[in-house]
Amino acid sequence: MRGLLVIFSGPSGVGKDTLLEAWTARNPLVQRVVAYTTRAPRPGEQDGVDYHFVSRERFEELVAAGAFLEHKEVHGNGYATPLADLEAMLAEGLITVLKIDVQGALDAMKLRPEAISIFIAPPSFEELERRIRGRGTEDEATLLRRLENARLELSHQSAYAHVVVNDAIERAVDELEAIPATMSR
Ligand code: ADP
């Protein structure tokens, strides 16, 4: 049986990676499409696991070859969703998750209207700021830019079929797990 495509987004620092890891641990059919990026890996990030890290030149070659469902620039770096990987995962019957920024998600919804769109929201803006600070991966200027961007992203949540508040991880995963279960295939 063909899998389901899930568009999964929300502001940086809201807990998307944390929730996806917990969701996959509970349901192994849930798998993330590994995106391509031109940005440098952060400490601890692995090539082919967190992203496919590629040079700007290679990225542009892949764009020209039509290898991506969508691609865009975020904070000066290229990000893209590989089409062949996505199709292979759907053919395997997986719940195929695109972890994608809000602008990319809006594009992906238009290109794939059958996809299930899920927005992960923070319990409050203050809590979002605490999580980004707690993660400790950004300098102050980047953090302020992310928070500014987050306000804009939060204003788009009504475009999504589902909004899940990441208050407590296991509770949020209960809600995520119930979404594809209710979809007819
Ligand atoms: P994203 O992938 O959306 O950028 P992360 O998964 O990296 O976000 O999470 C950002 C930070 O918030 C991490 O330090 C993570 O441990 C923390 N976090 C995630 N979910 C929760 C939660 N439900 N309660 C408290 N902290 C959380």
Side-chain angles (χ1 to χ4, degrees):
M1 214 181 310
R2 191 168 161 84
L4 288 172
L5 184 61
V6 174
I7 295 170
F8 194 83
S9 66
S12 175
V14 75
K16 295 182 297 297
D17 280 336
T18 306
L19 288 181
L20 270 181
E21 200 176 307
W23 191 11
T24 301
R26 205 183 300 179
N27 181 355
L29 281 179
V30 175
Q31 296 285 326
R32 184 167 72 92
V33 178
V34 179
Y36 280 68
T37 185
T38 63
R39 83 153 162 75
R42 293 183 190 139
E45 282 185 335
Q46 272 178 274
D47 188 29
V49 178
D50 298 287
Y51 285 97
H52 296 288
F53 294 99
V54 292
S55 66
R56 173 57 71 174
E57 190 184 15
R58 178 73 186 132
F59 189 84
E60 297 303 338
E61 274 172 17
L62 289 166
V63 169
F68 298 136
L69 171 70
E70 56 73 51
H71 64 94
K72 66 176 17 65
E73 299 294 313
V74 182
H75 306 314
N77 296 303
Y79 291 86
T81 304
L83 208 41
D85 294 1
L86 181 156
E87 289 301 343
M89 290 168 71
L90 287 173
E92 273 178 59
L94 296 171
I95 296 173
T96 303
V97 180
L98 297 185
K99 184 201 156 194
I100 191 165
D101 76 291
V102 170
Q103 284 308 316
L106 297 173
D107 289 348
M109 285 180 212
K110 288 195 197 105
L111 292 163
R112 296 296 169 110
E114 77 283 11
I116 304 169
S117 58
I118 305 176
F119 186 90
I120 307 299
S124 67
F125 200 78
E126 293 67 33
E127 176 59 18
L128 179 64
E129 178 167 355
R130 262 194 296 279
R131 287 184 193 171
I132 301 179
R133 287 192 187 279
R135 193 168 60 178
T137 48
E138 274 100 25
D139 59 31
E140 189 67 19
T142 308
L143 182 125
L144 291 175
R145 206 167 51 185
R146 286 203 189 281
L147 287 174
E148 188 62 30
N149 204 30
R151 285 198 192 278
L152 193 71
E153 290 176 335
L154 287 167
S155 73
H156 287 294
Q157 55 184 287
S158 60
Y160 292 72
H162 304 270
V163 176
V164 173
V165 177
N166 179 20
D167 43 12
I169 295 163
E170 292 306 320
R171 193 216 61 80
V173 173
D174 289 344
E175 211 177 310
L176 289 172
E177 188 59 8
I179 294 171
T182 64
M183 305 293 295
S184 55
R185 294 202 174 186

